[in-house]
Amino acid sequence: MLHVRMDMHFSSRLQIVIMFVWCTVCSTDISCRNEAGEPVDWFIIYKLPRYKIGEVGSGVDYMYLDSSVGSWQISKYMVNTSQGAIGNTLKQLYAGQAYKSNSSVYALYNDGPPILDYIKGYGHTKGVLLFDHSQGFWLSHSIPHFPSFPERGYLYPSSGKVNGQTALCVTYRYEQFLGIAKQMVYLYPRFYNCSVPATFIAELPQLAQLCKGSKPRPPSDKSMEQLSSIKGETFVSFVKSEHFVDDIYTGWVAQALDADLLVESWQRQGHELPSNCSLPKHVMNIKRIRLPGPVLFQSHYDHSKWCVSRAYEDQVTCLGDLNRGKAQLWRGGGLVCTFNPLIFKAFRQVVDWYFGC
Ligand SMILES: *[C@@H]1O[C@H](CO)[C@@H](O)[C@H](O)[C@H]1NC(C)=O
Ligand SMILES: *[C@@H]1O[C@H](CO)[C@@H](O)[C@H](O)[C@H]1NC(C)=O
Ligand SMILES: *[C@@H]1O[C@H](CO)[C@@H](O)[C@H](O)[C@H]1NC(C)=O
Ligand SMILES: *[C@@H]1O[C@H](CO)[C@@H](O)[C@H](O)[C@H]1NC(C)=O
């Protein structure tokens, strides 16, 4: 009996020690989290549309990519549960109640927030920022009405099931968020829940203004900012305000990157911008995607917004906010681009069919 009691005593103490060690790691490092809940430099998810070619899916299955998995992996989780990479990442906000903390900044933004009415005038941009004085993540995605208010916990909207969606999460050191905050001014995102505690206001005055609901004036109509992830991977943020009235892909990014681009975006009939080869670098619309499996679907059912260089030598991939549609010319929005070969390969090889000029 005594032996058993001592064993139990020992094991519960060990448990406390393990919990303590684990929690000092988990609570200090705000990071993108992978499918197992471990910190990662970046990840991408591609939520599959319900209507695939020759098949109707669940609308909640998705592909996952990060630097350690190497190529698209079908997730064993459903996007509408808090398991999986997005749920694990947002858990740091929801379960940790980081939204109540005065030592971290957060913002949930979406032109179409959950529950609330759509208000015109904000940038066409969706995402989450969460960081402290050490580090944090920037998750940008294409899902309307997502994510839910902090006190509600993780909820995935049923409206986000039908179409394909993408999300990019990158972990950055605190200093990089000063640059990201400057980009936010051009985007003019609709922050529907946010907090910029007192100790951050001096360094992040514009983020504090956005959080209060005011509209800081951007110094020009567009801005490019190079960002470096926590592991040193380069990401380039391109953002435009509503005053840059042009298609971001044709009028700016393709020419700035000096690369022909193939663009996957949400295009509604009668409002789409056709493939365009009138400027030195061309932009062409993708029409069909073939993910490994194979999973085939029409771009018509894909609400994601991304592009890749046509040429393998240019090796650039961007994920972002804007569609190639007429109404989008007058909207703020942006793209985050990377030259990572693994990301390029993952996106370039799924382009099954595009419209040339
Ligand atoms: C997730 O979505 C699937 C498919 O629509 C549904 O069967 C399941 O009940 C949902 N789960 C949750 C937790 O909402
Ligand atoms: C932050 O919150 C803690 C705990 O509630 C409090 O003790 C501290 O004074 C607060 N700091 C500031 C700068 O508000
Ligand atoms: C988030 O925003 C909603 C809508 O305005 C509000 O009801 C809720 O209390 C906010 N939550 C927090 C934590 O600020
Ligand atoms: C191609 O794109 C440029 C830049 O957006 C635009 O000025 C031009 O009118 C477009 N050409 C056609 C034929 O749509």
Side-chain angles (χ1 to χ4, degrees), residues 299-326:
S299 301
H300 183 79
Y301 293 111
D302 194 3
H303 189 257
S304 60
K305 300 117 193 15
W306 55 267
C307 64
V308 273
S309 58
R310 188 182 52 78
Y312 283 77
E313 309 85 81
D314 293 326
Q315 207 166 260
V316 63
T317 311
C318 311
L319 283 92
D321 296 325
L322 294 166
N323 302 311
R324 294 204 67 238
K326 284 173 197 152

Side-chain angles (χ1 to χ4, degrees), residues 5-6 29 41 45 74 85 110-111 131 162 167 190 195-196 200 212 218-219 232 236 242 249 255 260 294 334 336 351:
R5 285 240 296 273
M6 275 181 65
D29 294 342
D41 194 34
I45 79 146
I74 182 86
N110 199 317
D111 52 298
F131 57 93
V162 176
R190 181 165 176 195
S195 160
V196 182
F200 292 90
K212 276 194 319 205
V236 185
E242 77 233 304
Y249 299 95
Q255 317 308 321
D260 291 342
V336 175
V351 177

Side-chain angles (χ1 to χ4, degrees), residues 58 60 78 80-81 161:
S58 67
V60 290
M78 295 185 288
N80 60 343
T81 73
K161 290 183 183 176

Side-chain angles (χ1 to χ4, degrees), residues 30-311:
I30 304 174
S31 291
C32 300
R33 302 270 162 167
N34 67 11
E35 295 272 278
E38 298 152 351
V40 282
D41 194 34
W42 58 265
F43 73 76
I44 295 171
I45 79 146
Y46 207 137
K47 207 282 296 173
L48 305 174
R50 219 163 101 70
Y51 300 102
K52 302 161 190 172
I53 294 172
E55 189 198 342
V56 179
S58 67
V60 290
D61 46 352
Y62 66 93
M63 298 277 187
Y64 175 84
L65 182 73
D66 72 21
S67 61
S68 69
V69 301
S71 60
W72 292 117
Q73 305 290 311
I74 182 86
S75 176
K76 61 177 180 227
Y77 304 113
M78 295 185 288
V79 76
N80 60 343
T81 73
S82 60
Q83 293 165 299
I86 299 187
N88 287 333
T89 301
L90 293 180
K91 213 167 272 171
Q92 296 167 98
L93 181 75
Y94 292 123
Q97 300 219 330
Y99 64 93
K100 289 183 180 164
S101 161
N102 61 9
S103 57
S104 56
V105 171
Y106 87 94
L108 308 183
Y109 62 92
N110 199 317
D111 52 298
I115 303 170
L116 308 173
D117 288 338
Y118 201 96
I119 299 174
K120 285 185 188 165
Y122 288 99
H124 192 268
T125 181
K126 304 168 183 23
V128 179
L129 298 172
L130 175 63
F131 57 93
D132 60 16
H133 272 117
S134 161
Q135 64 177 70
F137 65 82
W138 179 15
L139 171 73
S140 76
H141 66 84
S142 65
I143 310 157
H145 317 301
F146 180 83
S148 40
F149 303 152
E151 58 274 48
R152 295 195 165 210
Y154 185 90
L155 294 171
Y156 189 85
S158 53
S159 61
K161 290 183 183 176
V162 176
N163 298 303
Q165 308 284 358
T166 42
L168 164 69
C169 188
V170 182
T171 307
Y172 295 107
R173 283 211 185 290
Y174 170 70
E175 295 70 37
Q176 299 294 302
F177 287 95
L178 307 182
I180 294 168
K182 285 197 302 187
Q183 298 297 82
M184 289 284 148
V185 173
Y186 292 82
L187 292 174
Y188 188 42
R190 181 165 176 195
F191 280 10
Y192 57 92
N193 286 122
C194 58
S195 160
V196 182
T199 53
F200 292 90
I201 293 176
E203 283 192 304
L204 296 162
Q206 293 156 326
L207 213 57
Q209 277 180 279
L210 285 167
C211 185
K212 276 194 319 205
S214 49
K215 185 179 187 180
R217 180 190 287 272
S220 61
D221 62 3
K222 59 184 191 312
S223 163
M224 191 184 85
E225 175 94 12
Q226 189 165 316
L227 301 168
S228 181
S229 74
I230 205 145
K231 292 266 176 72
E233 188 74 42
T234 299
F235 290 89
V236 185
S237 157
F238 289 87
V239 293
K240 77 175 202 74
S241 78
E242 77 233 304
H243 299 295
F244 182 76
V245 184
D246 204 340
D247 170 37
I248 193 170
Y249 299 95
T250 320
W252 184 25
V253 175
Q255 317 308 321
L257 292 171
D258 196 25
D260 291 342
L261 298 178
L262 308 178
V263 182
E264 176 76 345
S265 76
W266 175 248
Q267 294 192 300
R268 293 298 84 180
Q269 212 157 25
H271 304 279
E272 71 269 43
L273 294 173
S275 294
N276 182 321
C277 298
S278 44
L279 295 181
K281 290 298 163 183
H282 303 170
V283 170
M284 289 158 280
N285 296 328
I286 298 171
K287 289 290 164 192
R288 195 171 57 218
I289 299 293
R290 178 190 293 264
L291 277 150
V295 179
L296 261 102
F297 54 88
Q298 311 280 5
S299 301
H300 183 79
Y301 293 111
D302 194 3
H303 189 257
S304 60
K305 300 117 193 15
W306 55 267
C307 64
V308 273
S309 58
R310 188 182 52 78

